[in-house]
Amino acid sequence: MTENRPTVQDTDEQPPAAGGAPAGTDQELPAGDAPVPGPALDPLEEEGEVAADYLEELLDTADLDGDIDIEVRDGRTYLSVVAEGNDDDALSALVGEDGEVLEALQELVRLSVLAATGRRSRLVLDVGGHRARRADSLRELALEAVQKARETGASVHLDPLSAYERKIVHDVVAEHGLISESEGEGESRHIVVTAEPAR
């Protein structure tokens, strides 16, 4: 995928001085040569562009072919890497077993955004449709927990999930009128679905 995007300054560079000359120089730019500022990007769009640049470099380094889609919705940036020719198996190395490599890669992409913009990111990265398939299975899991809680009247404890995955389950449980709460700390944090109806 080839796109022309604005480049991002290295974080070690100093910003231009007030007079318009780059920091560390004694010269001022002539008035007629002052740079014309481009349209300012929305912060979420900017983090999408930074993240996409990082991913493109990574794909090139790993000699993998893929297209990168950027979408901003619900106050978050979503990036999807899709294999050319829809051969998602070609990107399986970026997903790993149970998505472990994908989670690590997402953290690296978030760090690249932090380094370039100075802002923490909550962007979500998907590779080869793994997260989309995982979201579908989590919705099924949540529905099963709702049904079991209703039938038995007992609380249903689910396996530990990431914060993003817990939100998917919480939303489904709420849609069906029951209560779900997160319990535990760190990697043990999990959801408990109770039969008590939501108020």
Side-chain angles (χ1 to χ4, degrees):
M1 171 178 143
T2 307
E3 288 184 32
N4 291 327
R5 296 197 196 93
T7 58
V8 179
Q9 272 189 326
D10 290 337
T11 52
D12 292 337
E13 286 185 30
Q14 296 178 356
T25 65
D26 295 333
Q27 300 175 345
E28 289 197 14
L29 293 174
D33 293 342
V36 178
L41 281 179
D42 173 85
L44 293 177
E45 292 174 354
E46 181 184 10
E47 76 177 36
E49 296 292 333
V50 170
D53 286 341
Y54 178 86
L55 285 169
E56 281 180 0
E57 288 183 26
L58 185 140
L59 290 172
D60 287 345
T61 301
D63 197 24
L64 294 171
D65 293 324
D67 295 322
I68 301 171
D69 296 325
I70 307 171
E71 183 181 357
V72 175
R73 67 176 189 273
D74 302 327
R76 268 195 187 191
T77 304
Y78 292 81
L79 275 83
S80 298
V81 181
V82 182
E84 293 180 357
N86 292 324
D87 180 17
D88 289 332
D89 287 343
L91 298 174
S92 60
L94 298 180
V95 175
E97 187 175 346
D98 296 327
E100 291 173 354
V101 175
L102 175 57
E103 289 297 329
L105 182 57
Q106 178 175 272
E107 287 308 308
L108 287 174
V109 173
R110 288 177 174 179
L111 286 172
S112 76
V113 171
L114 176 62
T117 67
R119 295 187 305 269
R120 294 198 176 278
S121 169
R122 297 186 315 127
L123 71 79
V124 175
L125 174 65
D126 193 6
V127 173
H130 173 80
R131 278 200 204 281
R133 291 188 299 274
R134 176 70 174 148
D136 288 342
S137 67
L138 286 169
R139 289 186 191 98
E140 289 180 21
L141 178 70
L143 289 173
E144 289 171 7
V146 165
Q147 184 176 356
K148 185 174 180 181
R150 280 186 175 147
E151 288 175 356
T152 66
S155 297
V156 178
H157 292 253
L158 302 179
D159 290 335
L161 300 169
S162 69
Y164 177 71
E165 292 176 331
R166 289 195 305 273
K167 182 180 183 328
I168 293 171
V169 174
H170 284 307
D171 288 348
V172 172
V173 173
E175 285 172 14
H176 288 81
L178 297 188
I179 291 177
S180 60
E181 295 179 335
S182 294
E183 293 184 0
E185 299 295 332
E187 293 183 2
S188 299
R189 196 145 176 86
H190 64 283
I191 288 179
V192 179
V193 179
T194 62
E196 179 184 350
R199 297 185 181 108

